[in-house]
Amino acid sequence: MLDTLTIESFEPLVGTSFWVHEKGHRIELRLTRTARVMESEAARLTRTAFSLFFLAPIMLPQQIYSVSHDTFAEPLDIFLVPVAKQGDAYAVEAVFT
């Protein structure tokens, strides 16, 4: 399913909650923005590459997480990378190429 998702799939979801299911815990991720990659990079790919940026209440190590949202019938296995600390939260990025 991941290969069919586009930035347009996520743009209406900015500001909503996604959920990471990790070791019996449910952790909220707030989607804060979407962004396209540079055009020179996108020209080489079969779809326009994009990033999703989330805020998490705890530091999530870089790895693949099962992430759910009410919009999607099944959880998405997404590789999340911590990118910064923002106040009491942690910014996390997922890149789709």
Side-chain angles (χ1 to χ4, degrees), residues 32-77:
T32 58
R33 70 182 176 101
T34 61
R36 297 180 194 283
V37 299
M38 295 172 42
E39 288 297 323
S40 61
E41 292 297 317
R44 299 181 297 118
L45 305 171
T46 57
R47 70 171 166 192
T48 300
F50 62 96
S51 291
L52 303 177
F53 296 91
F54 299 93
L55 282 181
I58 62 170
M59 172 66 168
L60 294 172
Q62 176 175 303
Q63 67 183 46
I64 296 173
Y65 291 92
S66 176
V67 179
S68 64
H69 190 278
D70 292 341
T71 300
F72 304 110
E74 299 177 17
L76 309 171
D77 291 331

